[in-house]
Amino acid sequence: MANYAPSVAAHTVRLSASVMVGRNLSSVIDPNAPRERNAIVMIGEQGAERVLSYDALNEEINAVANGLLARGVSKGARIGILADNRAEHFIAYMGVMRAGFVAVPINQKLKAAGVRHILNDAEVDLVFADEQNKGFLAPETRIIDFDVGGEDGYGALLKPGPLSPFAPSQTDLAVIMYTSGSSGRPKGVPITHAGYLWAIEQFDFLRESLEGRSALISAPLFHMNAQFHIQSVLYVGGTAVLTSRFQAQEYLRAIETFKVARATGVPTMFALAAQAQEAGLGADLSSVTSVAMGSAPVTRALVDRTAALFPNAMISNGYGTTEVGPAIFGLHPEGRPAPVLSLGYPMADVEVRLVGTGAPNEGVLHVRSKMVTRGYLNLPTETARKISDGWYDTGDVMRRDAEGFYFFVSRADDMFVCGGENIYPGEVEKLLETHPFIDQAAVVPVEDDIKGALPMAFIVAAPGSSLTEEDVKHYTLENGPAYAHPRFIVFMEALPLSGVNKIDKKQLTENAKTFQRPRP
């Protein structure tokens, strides 16, 4: 049985009246942490590239803020950050907000067209960029280059010295995060200082296990998963160990080298890490006492596999979206243990409801909290469709058990109809991954003249197994509803990943169209 714990300590579901006003999000760094303690350890291709103490981190954030103010950037200006993971990425992000500007992290995986859409949509004034990605920018873009000298370089911007951080109002923006754009163009999600700080404070329970210890973060820094984890670690006086990218062996070796206490990431990353360790890497992972998964669905098979990888760790199955943040579910108010795969019980100061024909115990999750965005940037129609009276429609189908714990079922827009039956790909994937010889599974619909759509499964089989298509079909027919069994099976060495290391369903759906499929 896997060790399991929900990701946040909390109890009630009603909103309180108090909201922090005047505190800048960059003040989230623990002011009581010893000045000499490591705050950031940045791992590059050749090991530790940069190590910054709490004192050095705050000084460099101030230097960025002072440099921006000295350049006469207008109050409230939007400033982009387009770079691979590096310490300066996070420092620029915090410095922008400390000076009173709005940070706009940009997904470099979107390439030139997507990057330029964000710059125009957010009306970005200037961009911090690295050499590898600045080619995506238009020639007229004002750039602060992380990798060159001269007046346009990062070093020339820095102006050391004290700074009085910008004191925001309750409605002042800290950051505009962009959705991944898996369907249509990325949408800008404005988030306030007050809302973001409230959400981070819900993670104060981490102080007991992380103060003075390290957490490993390998998700890309343009994504809320990574930024929120770093800020939560620094909020409780821990050390954030960052990697330039996710690579399974590098990830596990970093845990061993830096005696990491908390490992974070999306589920796919842990599946790949387990493969690497099982292949004979032999990294010492005994220091890990907690594992935080999030940003994508989790299966029981993966939880058990991750528990075997980290035998001393409690495993949390977190949930959140860019629009509402990750502070939604936590512990049961009466201390009841959370079932495996549960997302937890609604947190204090959070309201949740399930909407649809199965309500109140099954339906699409709607959330209202202090962090929920007030609306998408420049998209009033989409805002009206998704947000009403502060309630955000997540588009995620959930179910609630008798004790009030919530479970992810599937994306509402992933559901498809096969011969009159509703099929949720996430449920089929969970079933497939209970097979002892299936490491990973992804299910997408393919068009069919008779049934409307049929399930196709992309499978990564366990190394050395002799799994066949008939084995997979037989297993799903024996253990699940017949209408949901995959009619077509495609074996792959690895599933394609998106820029945030989630399984790329969009690419798999396109792949499905190219396969020659005799009618089953």
Side-chain angles (χ1 to χ4, degrees):
M1 176 66 70
N3 291 324
Y4 178 80
S7 57
V8 192
H11 42 93
T12 62
V13 299
R14 298 300 304 171
L15 290 170
S16 69
S18 61
V19 176
M20 292 173 297
V21 178
R23 287 183 57 201
N24 189 295
L25 180 55
S26 68
S27 70
V28 73
I29 299 170
D30 186 358
N32 298 315
R35 296 174 61 182
E36 70 280 2
R37 177 181 292 165
N38 288 345
I40 299 283
V41 176
M42 182 68 224
I43 303 172
E45 299 293 335
Q46 306 301 322
E49 276 188 350
R50 288 199 73 184
V51 178
L52 291 110
S53 67
Y54 271 79
D55 198 30
L57 176 62
N58 272 306
E59 286 182 356
E60 192 161 331
I61 291 171
N62 280 349
V64 168
N66 282 327
L68 291 171
L69 291 168
R71 294 200 175 190
V73 179
S74 302
K75 179 183 177 181
R78 284 82 180 270
I79 299 180
I81 308 168
L82 177 69
D84 293 345
N85 282 12
R86 57 193 296 159
E88 294 84 1
H89 190 302
F90 179 71
I91 292 165
Y93 175 83
M94 298 297 271
V96 165
M97 293 184 289
R98 190 168 287 186
F101 309 123
V102 180
V104 184
I106 303 170
N107 179 357
Q108 68 270 34
K109 305 294 184 182
L110 295 173
K111 307 300 184 182
V115 168
R116 293 180 188 185
H117 161 69
I118 290 174
L119 297 182
N120 291 330
D121 188 57
E123 300 182 69
V124 169
D125 279 32
L126 75 161
V127 180
F128 287 87
D130 59 12
E131 282 291 290
Q132 184 170 331
N133 295 290
K134 71 178 185 181
F136 297 138
L137 299 169
E140 65 272 15
T141 306
R142 297 169 61 199
I143 298 174
I144 298 170
D145 195 319
F146 285 130
D147 295 316
V148 301
E151 63 181 17
D152 294 328
Y154 177 76
L157 171 78
L158 300 178
K159 299 209 173 297
L163 174 78
S164 295
F166 168 70
S169 72
Q170 184 173 329
T171 58
D172 277 319
L173 297 183
V175 58
I176 300 172
M177 289 278 187
Y178 274 79
T179 60
S180 60
S182 56
S183 58
R185 282 185 165 182
K187 298 185 289 289
V189 180
I191 303 168
T192 64
H193 288 269
Y196 210 138
L197 275 165
W198 166 82
I200 290 172
E201 287 199 334
Q202 309 315 301
F203 287 75
D204 187 67
F205 73 97
L206 289 174
R207 191 175 301 276
E208 182 178 352
S209 60
L210 262 188
E211 187 172 14
R213 303 184 71 193
S214 61
L216 179 60
I217 296 136
S218 289
L221 291 179
F222 61 76
H223 194 266
M224 182 175 284
N225 182 298
Q227 290 290 358
F228 200 96
H229 275 302
I230 296 171
Q231 291 167 82
S232 299
V233 170
L234 297 177
Y235 176 69
V236 300
T239 299
V241 179
L242 313 180
T243 63
S244 56
R245 58 188 170 85
F246 174 77
Q247 196 280 331
Q249 292 188 355
E250 177 185 83
Y251 186 87
L252 296 176
R253 288 301 185 201
I255 291 173
E256 180 178 59
T257 300
F258 296 98
K259 305 301 179 187
V260 167
R262 183 172 176 84
T264 72
V266 300
T268 308
M269 292 164 58
F270 291 104
L272 295 172
Q275 287 179 8
Q277 186 77 340
E278 292 160 4
L281 181 64
D284 180 1
L285 309 177
S286 60
S287 62
V288 179
T289 57
S290 67
V291 172
M293 296 185 191
S295 299
V298 175
T299 65
R300 175 60 187 265
L302 179 59
V303 171
D304 289 345
R305 198 173 179 195
T306 305
L309 183 65
F310 302 107
N312 299 327
M314 299 294 288
I315 299 170
S316 66
N317 179 16
Y319 172 79
T321 73
T322 307
E323 294 86 347
V324 304
I328 302 170
F329 298 112
L331 298 179
H332 193 281
E334 298 175 5
R336 296 175 186 174
V340 174
L341 297 189
S342 167
L343 301 169
Y345 191 89
M347 294 178 59
D349 289 348
V350 176
E351 293 178 285
V352 299
R353 65 188 184 193
L354 299 179
V355 177
T357 57
N361 294 318
E362 183 164 338
V364 176
L365 178 71
H366 289 200
V367 178
R368 186 160 66 179
S369 77
K370 295 169 187 171
M371 191 173 175
V372 172
T373 185
R374 289 173 172 80
Y376 293 107
L377 190 66
N378 304 323
L379 293 171
T381 301
E382 184 68 4
T383 296
R385 187 178 74 86
K386 296 289 284 184
I387 302 171
S388 177
D389 191 28
W391 288 95
Y392 173 71
D393 174 355
T394 67
D396 290 323
V397 178
M398 303 275 185
R399 65 177 176 85
R400 181 178 63 184
D401 71 9
E403 294 186 327
F405 290 105
Y406 283 71
F407 297 79
F408 179 85
V409 174
S410 188
R411 286 286 302 168
D413 52 12
D414 282 348
M415 187 273 289
F416 61 94
V417 178
C418 175
E421 299 284 357
N422 292 347
I423 294 179
Y424 292 99
E427 293 294 277
V428 184
E429 291 159 3
K430 290 175 187 176
L431 172 61
L432 287 166
E433 291 191 13
T434 63
H435 192 293
F437 297 138
I438 294 178
D439 278 355
Q440 289 181 281
V443 174
V444 300
V446 291
E447 291 184 6
D448 182 75
D449 292 339
I450 297 174
K451 294 284 189 178
L454 294 170
M456 172 180 273
F458 293 85
I459 302 291
V460 177
S465 69
S466 55
L467 198 66
T468 67
E469 291 184 35
E470 288 307 311
D471 292 335
V472 175
K473 290 181 181 180
H474 178 75
Y475 185 78
T476 52
L477 284 166
E478 286 291 312
N479 295 281
Y483 64 80
H485 87 279
R487 309 313 199 267
F488 311 104
I489 311 295
V490 178
F491 291 101
M492 304 182 76
E493 291 187 4
L495 298 177
L497 302 182
S498 68
V500 292
N501 294 315
K502 298 180 186 180
I503 295 170
D504 192 339
K505 288 287 191 75
K506 186 176 181 180
Q507 180 176 328
L508 290 177
T509 300
E510 290 301 311
N511 291 353
K513 297 175 182 177
T514 68
F515 286 98
Q516 297 298 314
R517 304 181 301 274
R519 176 159 177 80

